[in-house]
Tab-separated table of all heavy atoms in Angstrom:
chain	number	residue	atom	x	y	z
A	1	GLY	N	50.131	-8.083	61.875
A	1	GLY	CA	49.103	-7.066	62.081
A	1	GLY	C	49.537	-5.715	61.617
A	1	GLY	O	50.516	-5.530	60.889
A	2	ASN	N	48.797	-4.707	62.082
A	2	ASN	CA	49.080	-3.336	61.692
A	2	ASN	C	49.785	-2.574	62.793
A	2	ASN	O	49.709	-1.356	62.842
A	2	ASN	CB	47.750	-2.627	61.370
A	2	ASN	CG	47.091	-3.244	60.146
A	2	ASN	OD1	47.776	-3.621	59.234
A	2	ASN	ND2	45.771	-3.334	60.212
A	3	VAL	N	50.436	-3.302	63.708
A	3	VAL	CA	51.123	-2.631	64.799
A	3	VAL	C	52.326	-1.863	64.270
A	3	VAL	O	53.069	-2.351	63.436
A	3	VAL	CB	51.579	-3.673	65.854
A	3	VAL	CG1	52.344	-2.986	66.964
A	3	VAL	CG2	50.374	-4.407	66.398
A	4	ARG	N	52.491	-0.688	64.777
A	4	ARG	CA	53.589	0.166	64.354
A	4	ARG	C	54.914	-0.504	64.656
A	4	ARG	O	55.234	-0.845	65.765
A	4	ARG	CB	53.511	1.518	65.079
A	4	ARG	CG	54.766	2.359	64.994
A	4	ARG	CD	54.628	3.518	65.939
A	4	ARG	NE	55.869	4.255	66.001
A	4	ARG	CZ	56.350	4.757	67.119
A	4	ARG	NH1	55.722	4.568	68.247
A	4	ARG	NH2	57.488	5.441	67.096
A	5	SER	N	55.706	-0.709	63.612
A	5	SER	CA	57.047	-1.233	63.776
A	5	SER	C	57.878	-0.821	62.578
A	5	SER	O	58.033	-1.591	61.632
A	5	SER	CB	57.028	-2.764	63.931
A	5	SER	OG	58.321	-3.246	64.145
A	6	ASN	N	58.381	0.397	62.584
A	6	ASN	CA	59.077	0.908	61.420
A	6	ASN	C	60.569	0.585	61.455
A	6	ASN	O	61.298	0.959	60.576
A	6	ASN	CB	58.898	2.427	61.328
A	6	ASN	CG	59.487	3.162	62.536
A	6	ASN	OD1	59.092	2.859	63.663
A	6	ASN	ND2	60.416	4.088	62.327
A	7	GLN	N	60.986	-0.148	62.481
A	7	GLN	CA	62.401	-0.508	62.569
A	7	GLN	C	62.590	-1.969	62.179
A	7	GLN	O	61.830	-2.829	62.620
A	7	GLN	CB	62.911	-0.319	64.005
A	7	GLN	CG	64.380	-0.697	64.193
A	7	GLN	CD	64.905	-0.185	65.509
A	7	GLN	OE1	64.749	0.968	65.831
A	7	GLN	NE2	65.534	-1.034	66.287
A	8	PRO	N	63.525	-2.296	61.340
A	8	PRO	CA	63.754	-3.710	60.956
A	8	PRO	C	64.057	-4.530	62.209
A	8	PRO	O	64.784	-4.091	63.083
A	8	PRO	CB	64.949	-3.637	60.010
A	8	PRO	CG	65.634	-2.351	60.343
A	8	PRO	CD	64.563	-1.407	60.753
A	9	TRP	N	63.438	-5.709	62.251
A	9	TRP	CA	63.508	-6.499	63.484
A	9	TRP	C	64.708	-7.423	63.474
A	9	TRP	O	65.007	-8.065	62.482
A	9	TRP	CB	62.223	-7.291	63.680
A	9	TRP	CG	62.224	-8.087	64.939
A	9	TRP	CD1	61.921	-9.374	65.087
A	9	TRP	CD2	62.548	-7.606	66.249
A	9	TRP	NE1	62.009	-9.730	66.390
A	9	TRP	CE2	62.383	-8.691	67.127
A	9	TRP	CE3	62.932	-6.369	66.763
A	9	TRP	CZ2	62.615	-8.575	68.501
A	9	TRP	CZ3	63.172	-6.256	68.111
A	9	TRP	CH2	63.020	-7.360	68.952
A	10	VAL	N	65.395	-7.499	64.585
A	10	VAL	CA	66.557	-8.344	64.753
A	10	VAL	C	66.120	-9.651	65.443
A	10	VAL	O	65.641	-9.608	66.559
A	10	VAL	CB	67.653	-7.650	65.574
A	10	VAL	CG1	68.822	-8.599	65.771
A	10	VAL	CG2	68.096	-6.406	64.832
A	11	HIS	N	66.231	-10.795	64.773
A	11	HIS	CA	65.855	-12.076	65.357
A	11	HIS	C	67.015	-12.739	66.078
A	11	HIS	O	66.801	-13.527	66.976
A	11	HIS	CB	65.343	-13.024	64.275
A	11	HIS	CG	63.949	-12.691	63.854
A	11	HIS	ND1	62.869	-12.931	64.654
A	11	HIS	CD2	63.480	-12.136	62.693
A	11	HIS	CE1	61.756	-12.564	64.023
A	11	HIS	NE2	62.105	-12.067	62.835
A	12	THR	N	68.244	-12.462	65.648
A	12	THR	CA	69.370	-13.115	66.287
A	12	THR	C	70.447	-12.103	66.585
A	12	THR	O	70.616	-11.114	65.882
A	12	THR	CB	69.979	-14.220	65.370
A	12	THR	OG1	70.269	-13.604	64.088
A	12	THR	CG2	68.962	-15.336	65.159
A	13	VAL	N	71.217	-12.363	67.622
A	13	VAL	CA	72.308	-11.481	68.033
A	13	VAL	C	73.508	-12.346	68.352
A	13	VAL	O	73.433	-13.255	69.168
A	13	VAL	CB	71.935	-10.657	69.282
A	13	VAL	CG1	73.073	-9.741	69.662
A	13	VAL	CG2	70.681	-9.848	69.005
A	14	LYS	N	74.604	-12.042	67.716
A	14	LYS	CA	75.843	-12.787	68.035
A	14	LYS	C	76.434	-12.246	69.325
A	14	LYS	O	76.256	-11.081	69.676
A	14	LYS	CB	76.849	-12.635	66.897
A	14	LYS	CG	76.541	-13.483	65.682
A	14	LYS	CD	77.706	-13.402	64.688
A	14	LYS	CE	77.506	-14.352	63.541
A	14	LYS	NZ	78.624	-14.275	62.577
A	15	LYS	N	77.155	-13.113	70.014
A	15	LYS	CA	77.841	-12.678	71.233
A	15	LYS	C	78.811	-11.548	70.881
A	15	LYS	O	79.473	-11.578	69.850
A	15	LYS	CB	78.576	-13.837	71.873
A	15	LYS	CG	77.621	-14.852	72.514
A	15	LYS	CD	78.414	-15.936	73.217
A	15	LYS	CE	77.422	-16.909	73.911
A	15	LYS	NZ	78.141	-17.993	74.599
A	16	GLY	N	78.924	-10.584	71.781
A	16	GLY	CA	79.774	-9.458	71.522
A	16	GLY	C	78.983	-8.271	71.005
A	16	GLY	O	79.503	-7.202	70.798
A	17	GLY	N	77.666	-8.485	70.803
A	17	GLY	CA	76.825	-7.364	70.416
A	17	GLY	C	76.614	-7.179	68.933
A	17	GLY	O	75.943	-6.267	68.502
A	18	ALA	N	77.262	-8.022	68.078
A	18	ALA	CA	77.068	-7.872	66.651
A	18	ALA	C	75.672	-8.296	66.239
A	18	ALA	O	75.243	-9.383	66.591
A	18	ALA	CB	78.126	-8.712	65.922
A	19	LEU	N	74.976	-7.450	65.517
A	19	LEU	CA	73.602	-7.710	65.135
A	19	LEU	C	73.534	-8.357	63.754
A	19	LEU	O	74.219	-7.953	62.817
A	19	LEU	CB	72.797	-6.415	65.144
A	19	LEU	CG	72.777	-5.637	66.446
A	19	LEU	CD1	71.882	-4.424	66.272
A	19	LEU	CD2	72.302	-6.497	67.582
A	20	ILE	N	72.687	-9.347	63.612
A	20	ILE	CA	72.419	-9.944	62.328
A	20	ILE	C	70.950	-9.697	62.024
A	20	ILE	O	70.085	-10.168	62.730
A	20	ILE	CB	72.704	-11.453	62.315
A	20	ILE	CG1	74.166	-11.698	62.674
A	20	ILE	CG2	72.362	-12.052	60.970
A	20	ILE	CD1	74.536	-13.153	62.724
A	21	ASN	N	70.670	-8.954	60.971
A	21	ASN	CA	69.292	-8.590	60.658
A	21	ASN	C	68.653	-9.687	59.796
A	21	ASN	O	69.087	-9.910	58.670
A	21	ASN	CB	69.306	-7.248	59.908
A	21	ASN	CG	67.911	-6.676	59.769
A	21	ASN	OD1	66.952	-7.436	59.674
A	21	ASN	ND2	67.824	-5.359	59.796
A	22	THR	N	67.625	-10.333	60.347
A	22	THR	CA	66.864	-11.323	59.575
A	22	THR	C	65.398	-10.954	59.640
A	22	THR	O	64.539	-11.801	59.756
A	22	THR	CB	67.082	-12.739	60.138
A	22	THR	OG1	66.654	-12.769	61.498
A	22	THR	CG2	68.533	-13.152	60.091
A	23	ALA	N	65.138	-9.652	59.587
A	23	ALA	CA	63.824	-9.170	59.993
A	23	ALA	C	62.822	-9.115	58.851
A	23	ALA	O	63.139	-9.212	57.684
A	23	ALA	CB	63.973	-7.748	60.555
A	24	VAL	N	61.572	-8.893	59.269
A	24	VAL	CA	60.495	-8.641	58.326
A	24	VAL	C	60.579	-7.176	57.909
A	24	VAL	O	60.706	-6.295	58.749
A	24	VAL	CB	59.133	-8.938	58.964
A	24	VAL	CG1	58.005	-8.614	58.003
A	24	VAL	CG2	59.085	-10.377	59.403
A	25	ILE	N	60.469	-6.913	56.594
A	25	ILE	CA	60.627	-5.550	56.104
A	25	ILE	C	59.286	-5.048	55.604
A	25	ILE	O	58.623	-5.721	54.831
A	25	ILE	CB	61.661	-5.509	54.981
A	25	ILE	CG1	62.987	-6.110	55.450
A	25	ILE	CG2	61.848	-4.098	54.464
A	25	ILE	CD1	63.581	-5.415	56.636
A	26	LYS	N	58.878	-3.867	56.044
A	26	LYS	CA	57.654	-3.274	55.529
A	26	LYS	C	57.936	-2.642	54.156
A	26	LYS	O	59.053	-2.373	53.799
A	26	LYS	CB	57.132	-2.195	56.479
A	26	LYS	CG	56.506	-2.797	57.733
A	26	LYS	CD	55.686	-1.746	58.444
A	26	LYS	CE	54.918	-2.399	59.596
A	26	LYS	NZ	54.041	-1.434	60.278
A	27	ALA	N	56.866	-2.415	53.396
A	27	ALA	CA	56.998	-1.937	52.024
A	27	ALA	C	57.235	-0.441	51.973
A	27	ALA	O	56.517	0.291	51.324
A	27	ALA	CB	55.732	-2.301	51.257
A	28	SER	N	58.277	0.007	52.626
A	28	SER	CA	58.656	1.406	52.536
A	28	SER	C	60.103	1.477	52.091
A	28	SER	O	60.910	0.563	52.353
A	28	SER	CB	58.506	2.084	53.897
A	28	SER	OG	59.448	1.556	54.807
A	29	PRO	N	60.486	2.547	51.370
A	29	PRO	CA	61.881	2.670	50.899
A	29	PRO	C	62.898	2.546	52.007
A	29	PRO	O	63.938	1.928	51.855
A	29	PRO	CB	61.884	4.068	50.245
A	29	PRO	CG	60.459	4.304	49.877
A	29	PRO	CD	59.638	3.652	50.923
A	30	ALA	N	62.595	3.140	53.157
A	30	ALA	CA	63.543	3.103	54.264
A	30	ALA	C	63.809	1.660	54.700
A	30	ALA	O	64.941	1.281	54.988
A	30	ALA	CB	63.040	3.928	55.442
A	31	MET	N	62.736	0.854	54.750
A	31	MET	CA	62.867	-0.523	55.208
A	31	MET	C	63.625	-1.365	54.165
A	31	MET	O	64.432	-2.231	54.474
A	31	MET	CB	61.515	-1.140	55.497
A	31	MET	CG	60.797	-0.467	56.661
A	31	MET	SD	61.772	-0.533	58.203
A	31	MET	CE	62.519	1.113	58.199
A	32	LYS	N	63.309	-1.114	52.895
A	32	LYS	CA	64.019	-1.858	51.858
A	32	LYS	C	65.517	-1.538	51.882
A	32	LYS	O	66.353	-2.417	51.693
A	32	LYS	CB	63.405	-1.524	50.491
A	32	LYS	CG	61.991	-2.066	50.309
A	32	LYS	CD	61.421	-1.653	48.981
A	32	LYS	CE	59.974	-2.188	48.833
A	32	LYS	NZ	59.372	-1.752	47.549
A	33	ASN	N	65.833	-0.267	52.102
A	33	ASN	CA	67.229	0.127	52.199
A	33	ASN	C	67.918	-0.539	53.383
A	33	ASN	O	69.062	-0.983	53.308
A	33	ASN	CB	67.356	1.651	52.322
A	33	ASN	CG	66.985	2.333	51.042
A	33	ASN	OD1	67.040	1.723	49.971
A	33	ASN	ND2	66.592	3.616	51.128
A	34	ALA	N	67.174	-0.625	54.530
A	34	ALA	CA	67.734	-1.268	55.703
A	34	ALA	C	68.048	-2.744	55.432
A	34	ALA	O	69.036	-3.275	55.904
A	34	ALA	CB	66.768	-1.143	56.868
A	35	TYR	N	67.137	-3.393	54.701
A	35	TYR	CA	67.351	-4.800	54.392
A	35	TYR	C	68.572	-4.971	53.505
A	35	TYR	O	69.363	-5.909	53.658
A	35	TYR	CB	66.112	-5.355	53.708
A	35	TYR	CG	66.214	-6.842	53.407
A	35	TYR	CD1	66.384	-7.757	54.461
A	35	TYR	CD2	66.133	-7.325	52.128
A	35	TYR	CE1	66.488	-9.119	54.219
A	35	TYR	CE2	66.214	-8.674	51.856
A	35	TYR	CZ	66.402	-9.547	52.893
A	35	TYR	OH	66.486	-10.916	52.645
A	36	MET	N	68.790	-4.056	52.555
A	36	MET	CA	69.958	-4.129	51.690
A	36	MET	C	71.230	-3.932	52.519
A	36	MET	O	72.235	-4.571	52.286
A	36	MET	CB	69.844	-3.101	50.592
A	36	MET	CG	68.722	-3.372	49.595
A	36	MET	SD	68.650	-2.192	48.241
A	36	MET	CE	70.200	-2.547	47.428
A	37	TYR	N	71.153	-3.042	53.498
A	37	TYR	CA	72.301	-2.869	54.362
A	37	TYR	C	72.619	-4.151	55.112
A	37	TYR	O	73.783	-4.500	55.314
A	37	TYR	CB	72.017	-1.717	55.365
A	37	TYR	CG	72.411	-0.349	54.885
A	37	TYR	CD1	71.481	0.437	54.232
A	37	TYR	CD2	73.710	0.129	55.047
A	37	TYR	CE1	71.816	1.696	53.784
A	37	TYR	CE2	74.054	1.399	54.615
A	37	TYR	CZ	73.098	2.169	53.951
A	37	TYR	OH	73.434	3.415	53.513
A	38	ALA	N	71.550	-4.849	55.527
A	38	ALA	CA	71.777	-6.089	56.263
A	38	ALA	C	72.479	-7.091	55.399
A	38	ALA	O	73.352	-7.847	55.884
A	38	ALA	CB	70.429	-6.669	56.708
A	39	LYS	N	72.182	-7.137	54.113
A	39	LYS	CA	72.842	-8.053	53.221
A	39	LYS	C	74.307	-7.705	53.037
A	39	LYS	O	75.147	-8.577	52.809
A	39	LYS	CB	72.140	-8.044	51.849
A	39	LYS	CG	70.807	-8.808	51.845
A	39	LYS	CD	70.268	-8.857	50.419
A	39	LYS	CE	69.024	-9.717	50.338
A	39	LYS	NZ	68.512	-9.818	48.958
A	40	GLN	N	74.635	-6.438	53.113
A	40	GLN	CA	75.988	-6.002	52.852
A	40	GLN	C	76.954	-6.358	53.970
A	40	GLN	O	78.149	-6.348	53.771
A	40	GLN	CB	75.991	-4.503	52.566
A	40	GLN	CG	75.263	-4.127	51.288
A	40	GLN	CD	75.163	-2.633	51.144
A	40	GLN	OE1	75.794	-1.890	51.874
A	40	GLN	NE2	74.329	-2.187	50.179
A	41	GLY	N	76.446	-6.610	55.147
A	41	GLY	CA	77.382	-6.949	56.222
A	41	GLY	C	76.969	-6.374	57.559
A	41	GLY	O	76.177	-5.458	57.637
A	42	ILE	N	77.568	-6.937	58.602
A	42	ILE	CA	77.197	-6.561	59.965
A	42	ILE	C	77.578	-5.132	60.263
A	42	ILE	O	76.837	-4.390	60.932
A	42	ILE	CB	77.872	-7.509	60.968
A	42	ILE	CG1	77.267	-8.898	60.806
A	42	ILE	CG2	77.720	-7.035	62.401
A	42	ILE	CD1	77.954	-9.938	61.636
A	43	LYS	N	78.700	-4.646	59.745
A	43	LYS	CA	79.098	-3.275	60.015
A	43	LYS	C	78.062	-2.285	59.494
A	43	LYS	O	77.750	-1.290	60.160
A	43	LYS	CB	80.465	-2.982	59.393
A	43	LYS	CG	81.605	-3.698	60.102
A	43	LYS	CD	82.950	-3.287	59.508
A	43	LYS	CE	84.090	-3.969	60.216
A	43	LYS	NZ	85.413	-3.583	59.659
A	44	GLU	N	77.592	-2.553	58.280
A	44	GLU	CA	76.561	-1.673	57.719
A	44	GLU	C	75.283	-1.718	58.548
A	44	GLU	O	74.586	-0.701	58.685
A	44	GLU	CB	76.268	-2.062	56.272
A	44	GLU	CG	77.338	-1.601	55.281
A	44	GLU	CD	78.524	-2.585	55.239
A	44	GLU	OE1	78.523	-3.529	56.054
A	44	GLU	OE2	79.386	-2.407	54.367
A	45	VAL	N	74.921	-2.912	59.068
A	45	VAL	CA	73.733	-3.023	59.905
A	45	VAL	C	73.856	-2.174	61.125
A	45	VAL	O	72.954	-1.427	61.516
A	45	VAL	CB	73.493	-4.493	60.304
A	45	VAL	CG1	72.298	-4.584	61.267
A	45	VAL	CG2	73.205	-5.335	59.058
A	46	LYS	N	75.000	-2.248	61.811
A	46	LYS	CA	75.215	-1.423	62.987
A	46	LYS	C	75.069	0.044	62.653
A	46	LYS	O	74.436	0.828	63.365
A	46	LYS	CB	76.602	-1.700	63.556
A	46	LYS	CG	76.814	-3.083	64.152
A	46	LYS	CD	78.227	-3.169	64.668
A	46	LYS	CE	78.531	-4.530	65.239
A	46	LYS	NZ	79.917	-4.644	65.718
């Protein structure tokens, strides 16, 4: 839908608090950059 959600969504979380971003990305530069960060590794995601 059109519900406001400008933050990349986290579907899974590893124990210890490490986030793995497998989210849906909106068509904005900020979101595309966030998705690229997710690909680069968990530290960048944090």
Side-chain angles (χ1 to χ4, degrees):
N2 295 322
V3 178
R4 166 190 173 219
S5 182
N6 61 304
Q7 180 167 309
W9 182 230
V10 178
H11 282 289
T12 55
V13 181
K14 283 187 174 180
K15 289 185 177 179
L19 303 183
I20 302 178
N21 191 328
T22 60
V24 177
I25 305 301
K26 286 196 173 183
S28 67
M31 294 304 97
K32 291 177 181 178
N33 290 338
Y35 184 60
M36 293 183 65
Y37 271 93
K39 284 186 174 182
Q40 294 173 11
I42 293 174
K43 289 184 178 180
E44 284 83 353
V45 175
K46 293 180 181 179

